[in-house]
């Protein structure tokens, strides 16, 4: 099993709240600093994962997700939670979250990654290890940090919004949120 899917991890009302929070904070987050990802087409929130943690910095998103994350992952875990926005023509090229050849990651153990689809065209989907998966609002996907995945280009006028996260045993960035 490459991924675990949890349908209705967040409900329709929670999806709407998160969508609003992502879109209303997008420009502010972009103004905080440059994207650190060359895998995203265009100017996107994705490469700003190191600047803003929605679990720490956004009370509305924290209220929806914090207790669920504690229940799933336990206490004394560090979570980095960022938003992804993909406008027409944007996608995310194939990548992994953990690269054992990276000097910055050589001392880190494998960790859990996740993806929550919020809104946008349902047909874009996400591809894990060559297998395409459709998008359902509120659905959570969990996967290993070394699993290759990507998001095809969004050809719709509708923005695609997702939340992505990594769960670590130790702090990796000062924006990481401690589950306590």
């Amino acid at each position: 099993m490459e991924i675990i899917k949890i349908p209705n991890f967040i409900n329709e009302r929670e999806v709407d709240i998160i969508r609003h929070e992502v879109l209303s904070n997008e420009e502010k987050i972009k103004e905080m600093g440059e994207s650190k990802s060359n895998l995203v087409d265009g100017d996107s929130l994705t490469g700003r994962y190191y600047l803003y943690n929605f679990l720490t910095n956004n009370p509305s998103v924290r209220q929806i997700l914090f207790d669920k994350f504690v229940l799933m992952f336990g206490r004394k875990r560090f979570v980095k939670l960022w938003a992804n926005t993909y406008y027409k023509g944007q996608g995310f090229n194939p990548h992994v979250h953990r690269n054992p050849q990276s000097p910055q990651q050589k001392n880190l153990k494998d960790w859990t990654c996740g993806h929550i689809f919020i809104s946008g065209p349902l047909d874009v989907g996400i591809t894990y290890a060559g297998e395409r998966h459709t998008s359902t609002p509120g659905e959570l996907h969990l996967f290993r940090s070394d699993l290759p995945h990507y998001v095809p280009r969004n050809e719709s006028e509708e923005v695609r919004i997702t939340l992505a996260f990594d769960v670590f045993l130790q702090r990796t960035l000062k924006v990481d949120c401690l589950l306590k």
Side-chain angles (χ1 to χ4, degrees), residues 76-141:
K76 299 184 180 176
R77 299 291 187 270
F78 293 91
V79 178
K80 180 178 7 184
L81 175 74
W82 65 96
N84 302 301
T85 53
Y86 302 105
Y87 291 87
K88 185 172 184 170
Q90 292 182 315
F92 198 178
N93 294 324
H95 66 284
V96 295
H97 289 214
R98 177 176 169 264
N99 178 355
Q101 281 70 48
S102 167
Q104 295 89 352
Q105 296 180 353
K106 67 179 180 183
N107 294 325
L108 293 175
K109 304 279 187 229
D110 194 22
W111 61 85
T112 300
C113 301
H115 166 265
I116 305 170
F117 181 74
I118 302 301
S119 65
L122 304 179
D123 61 333
V124 174
I126 185 167
T127 301
Y128 299 102
E131 184 179 330
R132 184 107 175 239
H133 295 263
T134 58
S135 299
T136 303
E139 185 171 79
L140 169 68
H141 296 179

Side-chain angles (χ1 to χ4, degrees), residues 147-172:
L147 183 68
H149 58 286
Y150 70 93
V151 176
R153 287 190 202 290
N154 178 8
E155 298 302 336
S156 169
E157 296 295 334
E158 185 181 6
V159 62
R160 174 185 165 83
I161 302 170
T162 66
L163 293 179
F165 61 90
D166 293 331
V167 180
F168 301 98
L169 293 175
Q170 71 245 29
R171 186 179 302 275
T172 63

Side-chain angles (χ1 to χ4, degrees), residues 2 11 24 41 47 49 68 73 78 81 83 93 96 108 169:
E2 298 277 9
N11 63 41
S24 64
D41 303 312
Y49 61 86
K68 293 176 184 188
F73 304 114
F78 293 91
L81 175 74
N93 294 324
V96 295
L108 293 175
L169 293 175

Side-chain angles (χ1 to χ4, degrees), residues 12-69:
E12 190 175 326
R13 183 184 66 77
E14 293 168 329
V15 164
D16 289 342
I17 291 168
I18 291 173
R19 182 181 194 285
H20 171 77
E21 291 301 319
V22 170
L23 291 176
S24 64
N25 285 287
E26 182 174 23
E27 288 308 313
K28 176 180 91 171
I29 296 167
K30 286 181 176 180
E31 290 171 2
M32 294 171 73
E34 293 296 315
S35 171
K36 283 193 172 183
S37 177
N38 60 358
L39 298 172
V40 181
D41 303 312
D43 189 25
S44 176
L45 287 180
T46 302
R48 291 172 171 90
Y49 61 86
Y50 71 101
L51 294 170
Y52 188 90
N53 187 328
F54 273 86
L55 206 53
T56 305
N57 301 112
N58 191 292
S60 298
V61 174
R62 181 183 178 90
Q63 184 176 4
I64 293 167
L65 294 177
F66 188 87
D67 289 341
K68 293 176 184 188
F69 279 12

